[in-house]
Amino acid sequence: MIGENKIVIAAAGSGKTTHLVEQAVKIKGARVLITTYTESNEAEIRQRFFDLVGHVPANVVIMTWFSLLITHGVKPFQGGLFDFPVTGMLLVQAQSGIRFHNNNGIAVPWPEEEIGKHFFDPTGRVFSDKLSKLVIRCNDKSGGAVIDRLSRVFPYVFVDEVQDLAGYDLDILAALARSSARLLMVGDPRQVTYLTHHERRHGKYADGGIVAFLQQELPRKVVVEIDETSLNRSHRNSAAICAISSRLFPALPASQACKCPGCRRGPSADAGVFVLKTADYAHYLASVRPMQLRDKITSNGVDKRSPAMNFGESKGRGFDHVVILPTAPMQKWLVDPTAELKAQTRARFYVALTRARLSVAIAMDWGAGPLPAGFSLYERGRRRDVGHDA
């Protein structure tokens, strides 16, 4: 059972969700909230409970972050700010609540005092990028009653994929850390492929800076234990995949492959990390049957006759074999690891690399130069080791 507040920094495939479920099962006689960003991860948490104990315990509530904010953050306390019904949430991909565009084409939002227009669309749906800010406003207006009620309803609050939270979400985490609730967070700062919104607030912590936020923004008396070792071993990726994917984030501890007998099957002829020439792409799909991973649905090179997923969509999933169709910046980084790679691109590439249990193939025509350390060249069902050992 957890004691004080804690954040566990986890490697890909290390069992983040399983860890939360195991901790929740230990708690008896108190309600446990488990919240996460995506609906798919919410479903995965439920499945882990069924796998572990055959059911979701009656004292455990599983909700997406957005559902939590509307249900427990806005609706019970909205009367202090506005008196119209909240009809749901509108997921937005760009700045919302725009009043007009000025002569320079710059969007001018409705002022926050115009609550019905700043936070909501005309049908009463709260904009997803403003939801956490609205919760903070409700909490301030009620004298802290939002967080007080939440901590009494749920003495234990578990947050999965905490690295995806940003902006005012971090203020909510900080308030929970200061409350009577015990806060357990797990996440991988290398996997910030989603963000709940793109609010400028706390912008310097947006790209995987959750630990820095907790260290720098919380009062000294609010203790959050930082655990970087318990979940640092991948039960999915091979040692070669761990070594190569870790190069994307040299400032963070390198992940290691676990040595569990149940995770490590016997040698496979298809195991490894390869550069795959485009001329051999169709042959590779037919012989290895990997999952194709692409940046977006419009990415070129995907064989529509075989399964494919976007990088972000694949997060949380695992496959024996994957083939990655890298973007141009990813290709440049492979050739020159000092090349610029934006934070979101770096995170998506890390997610793609770490989906595989046995093999990763990067589909690109390399040229005459030496391959990166740990890579081999795949040719028509055989590989030629021209890289260095990982």
Side-chain angles (χ1 to χ4, degrees):
M1 185 179 298
I2 68 168
E4 297 302 314
N5 302 316
K6 183 176 182 179
I7 182 169
V8 183
I9 303 303
S14 61
K16 297 187 295 294
T17 303
T18 298
H19 177 72
L20 283 187
V21 170
E22 289 174 343
Q23 295 303 307
V25 168
K26 295 177 183 178
I27 297 171
K28 312 293 183 183
R31 298 189 81 192
V32 181
L33 168 69
I34 305 182
T35 184
T36 188
Y37 178 43
T38 66
E39 292 180 352
S40 61
N41 203 47
E42 178 193 13
E44 182 183 357
I45 293 169
R46 294 183 189 280
Q47 185 59 50
R48 294 294 172 87
F49 273 104
F50 282 99
D51 293 341
L52 186 64
V53 295
H55 66 284
V56 177
N59 66 317
V60 174
V61 175
I62 307 168
M63 303 179 75
T64 65
W65 182 251
F66 288 136
S67 295
L68 170 67
L69 297 187
I70 289 179
T71 303
H72 291 280
V74 176
K75 287 188 174 181
F77 299 95
Q78 66 184 59
L81 289 176
F82 58 93
D83 58 3
F84 53 85
V86 178
T87 60
M89 185 194 75
L90 177 63
L91 187 63
V92 297
Q93 303 297 327
Q95 186 180 9
S96 63
I98 302 303
R99 186 177 184 180
F100 63 88
H101 289 79
N102 64 21
N103 293 335
N104 295 321
I106 298 174
V108 178
W110 285 96
E112 191 172 319
E113 293 74 23
E114 294 277 359
I115 291 177
K117 296 177 180 177
H118 179 84
F119 291 99
F120 296 87
D121 78 348
T123 67
R125 294 178 297 175
V126 60
F127 296 122
S128 60
D129 64 330
K130 301 239 175 60
L131 178 53
S132 58
K133 179 164 71 168
L134 183 59
V135 171
I136 290 296
R137 295 295 174 262
C138 288
N139 191 59
D140 292 343
K141 187 71 173 179
S142 64
V146 173
I147 298 300
D148 178 67
R149 176 182 178 274
L150 187 59
S151 64
R152 286 187 288 107
V153 173
F154 300 109
Y156 294 89
V157 178
F158 292 1
V159 184
D160 200 5
E161 304 289 2
V162 70
Q163 76 280 346
D164 289 332
L165 304 186
Y168 282 91
D169 297 325
L170 300 183
D171 290 302
I172 295 172
L173 287 181
L176 286 169
R178 294 192 297 266
S179 77
S180 62
R182 299 279 62 82
L183 184 61
L184 174 60
M185 302 165 280
V186 297
D188 184 353
R190 292 159 287 212
Q191 296 191 55
V192 187
T193 56
Y194 293 113
L195 286 175
T196 49
H197 57 275
H198 299 277
E199 171 66 46
R200 293 179 182 177
R201 184 168 177 79
H202 301 312
K204 65 179 179 179
Y205 305 116
D207 295 313
I210 181 64
V211 170
F213 170 80
L214 296 172
Q215 292 174 326
Q216 298 172 22
E217 301 294 336
L218 287 178
R220 187 169 298 178
K221 64 180 181 180
V222 179
V223 177
V224 178
E225 179 187 350
I226 299 169
D227 181 350
E228 296 183 316
T229 58
S230 294
L231 295 179
N232 194 38
R233 291 191 175 273
S234 177
H235 299 282
R236 179 192 304 133
N237 306 138
S238 67
I241 295 171
C242 285
I244 290 169
S245 61
S246 293
R247 290 178 205 157
L248 283 161
F249 295 90
L252 293 174
S255 59
Q256 306 292 326
C258 77
K259 297 181 180 179
C260 309
C263 299
R264 302 300 159 196
R265 300 180 236 165
S268 169
D270 297 319
V273 184
F274 309 112
V275 169
L276 173 67
K277 295 187 295 185
T278 54
D280 294 325
Y281 192 84
H283 178 273
Y284 187 80
L285 289 185
S287 59
V288 179
R289 300 185 182 279
M291 172 60 72
Q292 300 176 96
L293 298 180
R294 63 198 175 194
D295 186 45
K296 50 191 174 183
I297 197 168
T298 56
S299 297
N300 294 325
V302 176
D303 188 324
K304 294 181 172 55
R305 296 167 297 181
S306 297
M309 299 180 75
N310 294 350
F311 295 150
E313 180 189 6
S314 73
K315 189 164 74 168
R317 302 289 299 275
F319 309 96
D320 283 346
H321 309 282
V322 303
V323 58
I324 299 172
L325 289 97
T327 64
M330 293 174 186
Q331 293 186 39
K332 289 180 181 178
W333 181 85
L334 285 168
V335 174
D336 177 12
T338 66
E340 180 183 3
L341 203 58
K342 292 182 179 179
Q344 286 281 292
T345 303
R346 190 179 296 269
R348 289 198 296 271
F349 196 19
Y350 175 84
V351 167
L353 286 168
T354 56
R355 295 313 91 197
R357 299 183 185 95
L358 299 176
S359 76
V360 175
I362 309 290
M364 61 182 291
D365 291 316
W366 185 263
L371 296 179
F375 280 80
S376 301
L377 185 65
Y378 184 96
E379 292 183 299
R380 290 289 177 182
R382 62 186 178 88
R383 63 183 185 182
R384 179 158 53 90
D385 294 318
V386 294
H388 305 287
D389 292 335

